[in-house]
Amino acid sequence: MSSDKNKSAELVKEYLSSWKIGKVVELALKDEEVLLTLFRLLREEDDELKIRALTALEDVFKALPDVKQLIFVERFLDDLIKLLESDNDNVLIHTIRAIGRLIEGVPLQPGKFVELAHAFKNLVKSRKNEAVLLEIPSVLKVMRPTSYTPQLMDAISRLLKSSNLRLKAMGLRLLLNAGSFTGNPSVMKTFFSEVYYALLEREDAPLVDFCLDLILEVVHYPLRDEFMDEVAHVLTAVKEIALRKNSELAEKAKTVAEELELAICRYYSQNPEKAKEKIHELLINERFYEAIDLALAVGDGYILKWLADVLEELGKETLIVNQRILPGPKYVSVPPEKKAQRHLRPPTISKFIERKKSVIETLSRELASGGGLTKEEKDTLERALRAGDEKTLIELSKKRIEVVFELLRKLENGDKFEKMDALWAFSKLAEKIEPEAVFILEPAVDDLLRVAHSTKNRWMRQRASKTLALLASKSKNGARIVREFLDDYLSGDLKRVVPALEFFSYYFERNWDENIAKAVLSRLSDYLRREETRFDALLTLEGLVRMAPPEKAGLLLPFVSVLKEVKKSAPYQDQKLAIRILEGIASKVKLR
């Protein structure tokens, strides 16, 4: 038995030394002894060997079925947490990524949750390399406790009380995770309350920005009467930011306020009298602005008239109601009279190009014309979109390709929120669906390309680009998507270059295509030097560095000098990225 272990260890070491990660992953998924060998290697002194073992484990965890993933969390999470005490930044980076892969989708027991939170807190407090700290948020996002306990709440409370903004943000993230996953209203009440106080710290712009991101997430979860007071607090705080002149976060706050108002409207839509009671309660407590904001969110004409009368009786100027109305969204929904004309689009050049329709296209058209989803199926889809229920979305789409056409209808003709829901759904389908089933998404490619190229809403544009990058890596027609963005990239027209850079930043996260890489690299130095394109160019270069085989490191060396320029003079966010990329290039050069 001992000789078998030794043979397994030597074989794994040999493959890792040759950078044959794929071979090690294949063996580890078949043979548990190989997997155990990888974990034993984490205890060795050789940091380079640890990094390669961790890289292999990331791919192993990604391929695990749910049941095995749960077992692996129980057996191996402690080993990875122990490794977070390493002094080597690259070991830490790969350990954090491996933990993220391992726990994604698996709720943690409260004790393990707290242990991992403490480990990350210690990393932040130790002021590690910025590249290490940047890896932590993506793992925090997938940390979910099975239940909340006094010990867990105490750990989160300590983070929230910290004067360190990173630790406070970590506490808010974990509090949201605990509340949204367990469904405990008292935790969500605490979350909204903490977010409200954080929003009042206006001089801490990064923390306020982070809170706005969290609110955009939480609006997809069901609201409850137990914490509607706190929701009203938060809505007013967000609108105060949106209404402030010369605020860099004003536009984002408007979007967040609109999303939160929509969630409140959904909550009270079936019971406007309940909304009236809550507004009356706010008025009694002289919380006038919150009462007005809540009434505007509910949008019921009767309630608004009643509120105006009450304010007049109280001697309050009714004009302040109008002052609380935010400027209209930049991307308004299609007016009803226009919806009837949605098929009368001006033809594009591609419409005049004769091409043979594929079986998939023909089938899709037939299914679309043969009747849409039933009312029950539409309701199921709507619930899945509101709750962010990926599993139901995927199962329904596999059974009924009409789901894709319903999502396309939302993307083409829905209001802003329906468009965002549709984009979220397409990105999740592209990410989770198997390659052999990805053909069901092909009817969406043209509309996704349109969004990726046309909208000024960066979130929508990037979501479309990410989805297209996933489709390009899975679909048989992926070359067409890549070719279209490459043409944009090489055009030199900044309006086309920026969407192309956004696409390639996602595309090179999971693909290495040397010919495409060389074409992108040929112009990348110019875009790294231009302020308008620098950030997206850095993200694209980071993906290229990560995916490039060590023997191709020579392609990356010409960028060292321009990255050093960025590190010296660019904005802080760009500097962090440049440092991380320089470290990645150095690592690849060492492995040659």
Side-chain angles (χ1 to χ4, degrees):
M1 188 73 173
S2 177
S3 65
D4 287 342
K5 282 185 181 179
N6 291 334
K7 284 181 183 177
S8 174
E10 290 306 314
L11 182 62
V12 170
K13 281 184 179 181
E14 181 184 333
Y15 281 140
L16 291 177
S17 299
S18 305
W19 205 251
K20 295 181 179 177
I21 303 296
K23 190 67 177 174
V24 175
V25 172
E26 183 181 338
L27 291 172
L29 289 169
K30 292 177 182 175
D31 185 353
E32 188 173 359
E33 186 53 39
V34 174
L35 181 65
L36 294 172
T37 298
L38 286 173
F39 277 95
R40 291 188 199 105
L41 292 176
L42 300 182
R43 302 188 189 106
E44 296 203 359
E45 296 295 322
D46 186 345
D47 283 339
E48 196 55 50
L49 199 59
K50 285 181 188 176
I51 291 168
R52 297 185 189 196
L54 286 164
T55 303
L57 285 170
E58 285 179 58
D59 289 338
V60 170
F61 295 153
K62 188 178 179 182
L64 287 176
D66 292 348
V67 177
K68 263 198 169 181
Q69 196 176 354
L70 185 60
I71 295 168
F72 277 39
V73 168
E74 293 295 322
R75 289 182 64 184
F76 300 122
L77 181 57
D78 285 341
D79 291 332
L80 293 171
I81 292 175
K82 182 71 176 170
L83 210 54
L84 290 175
E85 297 171 7
S86 172
D87 291 322
N88 184 299
D89 288 343
N90 283 326
V91 170
L92 288 172
I93 287 170
H94 285 280
T95 301
I96 294 168
R97 290 175 184 172
I99 289 172
R101 289 286 189 201
L102 177 60
I103 69 171
E104 188 171 6
V106 178
L108 303 176
Q109 292 298 322
K112 286 275 186 271
F113 185 95
V114 171
E115 190 179 350
L116 184 54
H118 276 313
F120 285 143
K121 180 183 75 173
N122 291 337
L123 275 180
V124 172
K125 290 177 76 173
S126 66
R127 299 183 183 278
K128 288 286 182 187
N129 187 316
E130 188 68 24
V132 175
L133 301 182
L134 285 170
E135 296 291 336
I136 295 175
S138 60
V139 183
L140 293 175
K141 195 169 184 178
V142 298
M143 284 177 64
R144 302 282 189 275
T146 54
S147 60
Y148 82 106
T149 63
Q151 181 196 18
L152 183 146
M153 294 307 292
D154 180 62
I156 292 176
S157 179
R158 289 173 186 273
L159 291 170
L160 293 169
K161 291 174 183 174
S162 173
S163 58
N164 183 313
L165 289 186
R166 284 186 190 271
L167 293 180
K168 188 172 283 191
M170 186 187 299
L172 288 168
R173 159 54 67 192
L174 296 181
L175 186 62
L176 172 57
N177 291 359
S180 60
F181 189 79
T182 63
N184 188 291
S186 67
V187 180
M188 292 306 296
K189 184 181 180 76
T190 304
F191 168 77
F192 278 106
S193 179
E194 290 291 342
V195 164
Y196 171 70
Y197 288 115
L199 289 173
L200 298 182
E201 301 292 332
R202 292 174 187 172
E203 65 275 12
D204 294 330
L207 183 62
V208 173
D209 190 21
F210 179 72
C211 287
L212 293 176
D213 287 334
L214 292 182
I215 298 167
L216 278 175
E217 277 187 50
V218 81
V219 293
H220 294 291
Y221 295 101
L223 298 179
R224 298 272 290 273
D225 194 53
E226 291 91 331
F227 50 81
M228 285 308 295
D229 271 9
E230 286 69 26
V231 172
H233 272 313
V234 168
L235 175 60
T236 295
V238 172
K239 289 183 79 168
E240 289 296 338
I241 297 168
L243 291 165
R244 279 207 324 265
K245 293 180 179 178
N246 304 321
S247 170
E248 59 184 331
L249 294 174
E251 282 301 319
K252 184 172 186 177
K254 286 176 190 175
T255 301
V256 174
E258 290 160 15
E259 291 274 10
L260 194 51
E261 285 177 332
L262 189 66
I264 292 168
C265 182
R266 284 197 298 260
Y267 177 73
Y268 283 122
S269 61
Q270 301 303 315
N271 197 345
E273 281 301 314
K274 199 172 183 180
K276 186 178 173 183
E277 288 171 12
K278 177 60 66 180
I279 293 165
H280 188 253
E281 181 183 320
L282 292 169
L283 291 171
I284 290 172
N285 291 308
E286 297 189 347
R287 289 159 60 184
F288 298 111
Y289 281 115
E290 289 172 31
I292 293 166
D293 291 337
L294 193 60
L296 289 170
V298 173
D300 184 276
Y302 166 72
I303 288 177
L304 284 168
K305 184 178 184 306
W306 165 79
L307 176 61
D309 292 339
V310 172
L311 288 171
E312 193 170 352
E313 286 176 18
L314 292 171
K316 299 292 177 183
E317 287 288 339
T318 55
L319 182 62
I320 62 174
V321 175
N322 293 332
Q323 291 171 353
R324 302 303 295 172
I325 299 173
L326 295 175
K330 289 187 176 181
Y331 311 105
V332 294
S333 59
V334 180
E337 65 271 15
K338 293 283 185 182
K339 289 188 177 181
Q341 303 172 22
R342 64 182 180 270
H343 298 299
L344 302 178
R345 292 183 177 179
T348 59
I349 292 174
S350 61
K351 300 291 182 185
F352 297 102
I353 300 174
E354 285 294 321
R355 62 186 180 91
K356 187 177 179 182
K357 289 186 178 179
S358 68
V359 175
I360 293 168
E361 287 176 300
T362 305
L363 176 63
S364 299
R365 298 293 184 274
E366 288 173 357
L367 284 167
S369 60
L373 299 172
T374 64
K375 184 180 184 304
E376 185 180 353
E377 287 167 337
K378 282 187 178 180
D379 290 342
T380 301
L381 177 60
E382 287 300 323
R383 285 195 298 272
L385 292 174
R386 288 176 187 171
D389 185 349
E390 299 173 16
K391 186 178 178 183
T392 299
L393 173 69
I394 292 164
E395 287 176 356
L396 186 60
S397 65
K398 285 181 179 177
K399 291 177 188 172
R400 300 275 281 161
I401 196 174
E402 287 90 342
V403 167
V404 173
F405 296 100
E406 179 63 20
L407 292 172
L408 277 174
R409 183 194 65 75
K410 290 177 180 290
L411 186 58
E412 289 180 7
N413 306 308
D415 62 30
K416 183 173 70 171
F417 305 111
E418 288 180 314
K419 291 178 193 290
M420 292 169 84
D421 281 345
L423 286 169
W424 172 84
F426 280 130
S427 72
K428 290 303 171 186
L429 288 171
E431 182 182 343
K432 304 287 185 182
I433 209 161
E434 301 85 358
E436 58 267 25
V438 81
F439 73 90
I440 68 170
L441 297 177
E442 289 196 12
V445 168
D446 287 336
D447 280 280
L448 289 169
L449 283 167
R450 174 181 56 78
V451 174
H453 285 91
S454 65
T455 182
K456 293 178 182 177
N457 185 317
R458 186 176 174 89
W459 182 93
M460 292 174 68
R461 198 173 66 229
Q462 289 184 334
R463 183 70 74 166
S465 293
K466 182 178 182 179
T467 305
L468 288 164
L470 289 163
L471 291 176
S473 64
K474 289 184 177 183
S475 170
K476 292 178 181 178
N477 296 320
R480 174 210 161 194
I481 298 171
V482 175
R483 188 170 59 249
E484 189 143 344
F485 279 107
L486 189 58
D487 288 343
D488 291 330
Y489 179 79
L490 297 174
S491 71
D493 179 353
L494 284 188
K495 288 182 180 178
R496 296 173 64 190
V497 169
V498 171
L501 282 169
E502 289 171 348
F503 169 82
F504 285 119
S505 70
Y506 292 115
Y507 180 75
F508 287 117
E509 277 186 354
R510 59 189 67 231
N511 300 285
W512 173 255
D513 182 322
E514 187 171 342
N515 291 331
I516 300 297
K518 285 179 177 178
V520 170
L521 289 170
S522 69
R523 298 278 184 90
L524 204 56
S525 287
D526 294 336
Y527 297 136
L528 287 168
R529 289 189 171 94
R530 299 186 68 159
E531 190 176 344
E532 312 96 304
T533 53
R534 186 188 296 123
F535 184 72
D536 293 308
L538 284 166
L539 290 175
T540 299
L541 182 56
E542 185 181 32
L544 283 160
V545 170
R546 188 182 296 122
M547 294 304 298
E551 61 269 23
K552 298 297 178 184
L555 294 171
L556 308 171
L557 290 175
F559 294 90
V560 170
S561 58
V562 69
L563 286 169
K564 286 181 177 178
E565 291 172 22
V566 172
K567 191 175 75 166
K568 286 180 183 177
S569 58
Y572 180 61
Q573 188 178 26
D574 295 352
Q575 289 181 27
K576 290 191 296 184
L577 264 175
I579 291 167
R580 198 161 72 195
I581 295 166
L582 283 167
E583 289 172 349
I585 292 174
S587 176
K588 283 285 162 78
V589 171
K590 284 179 187 175
L591 296 173
R592 285 200 299 175

